[in-house]
Amino acid sequence: MAAGGNIFNAMLQEFDGAARLLGLDPGIWKILTHPKRQITVSCPIQMDNGQIEVFTGYRVQYNITLGPAKGGIRYHPDVSLDEVTALAAWMTWKCAVAHIPFGGGKGGIICDPTQMSRRELEALTRRYVAEIVDAIGPDKDVPAPDVNTNDQIMAWIMDTYSMHVGYTATAVVTGKPIEMGGSLGRREATGRGVMITTREAAKHLKFDIKGATVAVQGFGNVGSVSADLLTKIGARVIAVTDWKGGVYNKAGLDITKMIDFAKQHKTIDGFPGGEPLENNDLFKLDVDVLVPAALENQITMENAPTIKAKVIAEGANGPTTPDAHKHLHDRGVFVIPDILANAGGVTTSYFEWVQDRHGYFWEEEEVNKRLEAKMMEAFDDVLQTSIRYKTDLRTAAYIVAINRVATVTRMRGMYA
Ligand code: NAD
């Protein structure tokens, strides 16, 4: 995913490549390359200093053919309608690859949450929800956390929506606190999906994940859980970096201790279980598996030629630039694309929505068992498609997704 610029065009490029291979009908092609609905709202709120500020918010429902729109809401100064639209499109393809009955959506507010008080953030969240209240709902559009939004913000969204409709509607949003309708296993779900797809890739490439070496970029939610669960199936995580620094230990890092250290210090820099490592050097290491789980555009043509890994599991969204991806694919590196590798998060959000609608909550073991089955199915669908179309896994994931949305679009027919 290109940062800034016209990232919707970047999405279209990926789409076009897959649609051509699929032989997509030109009419359906047109439909699937246009957002269904883009909403722009102004959110005036009174700041703590007594002044009124007006913030711009967006909610885009890119496609709702398969079900309610699904996708996070981000709070960031760089939010734009173009970015939100591209992210909503990516959610459409991710939900379709994961084979869950959701369309794609995304929202955002142009703001700098680091400069706002808790009261200001709550006021902004509630006003934004009030402005889009007719467009969202358990059957319409189900938001979730994204950059700079968390379970507290989801709780405010759920409460504001519920106040408007007059009853408690837990299924309007996912990523909620467990106490108010969140799902067990959601926090670990993205990392768990990364572990499952990596394990399946190793099986396919016929190398043993037990004893395989792993390097992880980023040690937040996705990076730390991926590292932990890969360790638990016998892999050896030998390097981790985050925004501040990194650690290397050829014998394997103690991930449980590293998680405790990161909780205390807000970074893994200075972790005593290994030698210091520069972020840039992570991509030069001789490892079997590389997990970029930090930011977009981290693997570029500058560092891709130094990568020695057999498998790259894209925990982050858009960590690999298109030219670097082509280079890696040409060299035979097995890149598990973001819309597959990190789809465990949205899949468990779907489980959260299902549990809320039933009013019946599953044990964590049940959540994990169902996630395992969904991820295995998605991995196999993408792998078989890549073999059938003789293409890379990213293009194959798009083919699977576009085909699913296109088939239902055709079956539903044109309403006019
Ligand atoms: P997070 O904020 O919990 O963690 C991000 C990590 O990246 C932190 O450890 C941070 O130190 C590190 N980082 C930041 N800048 C870095 C840099 N320049 N070099 C190295 N490390 C750096 O975020 P997260 O929830 O773990 O999300 C990570 C990525 O995964 C994002 O791209 C996100 O969109 C994607 N993702 C997350 C989920 C989810 O469920 N959390 C689901 C799908 C995709």
Side-chain angles (χ1 to χ4, degrees), residues 186 190 217-222 242-243 279 293-295 315-317 342:
R186 171 64 188 91
T190 306
Q217 188 197 36
F219 204 68
N221 174 291
V222 181
D242 71 8
W243 65 275
N279 195 17
L295 305 170
N317 283 318
N342 71 35

Side-chain angles (χ1 to χ4, degrees), residues 257-316:
K257 283 196 181 137
M258 191 180 259
I259 289 172
D260 286 343
F261 184 93
K263 258 187 215 146
Q264 259 184 342
H265 298 86
K266 306 280 170 243
T267 173
I268 53 137
D269 192 35
F271 176 68
E275 307 155 28
L277 176 76
E278 289 283 319
N279 195 17
N280 277 340
D281 292 339
L282 187 87
F283 296 120
K284 296 181 192 146
L285 294 175
D286 191 3
V287 286
D288 298 307
V289 177
L290 181 62
V291 181
L295 305 170
E296 63 277 4
N297 295 334
Q298 293 300 297
I299 301 176
T300 65
M301 274 314 285
E302 267 171 43
N303 53 29
T306 70
I307 289 177
K308 299 185 183 73
K310 300 184 186 75
V311 173
I312 298 179
E314 294 186 334

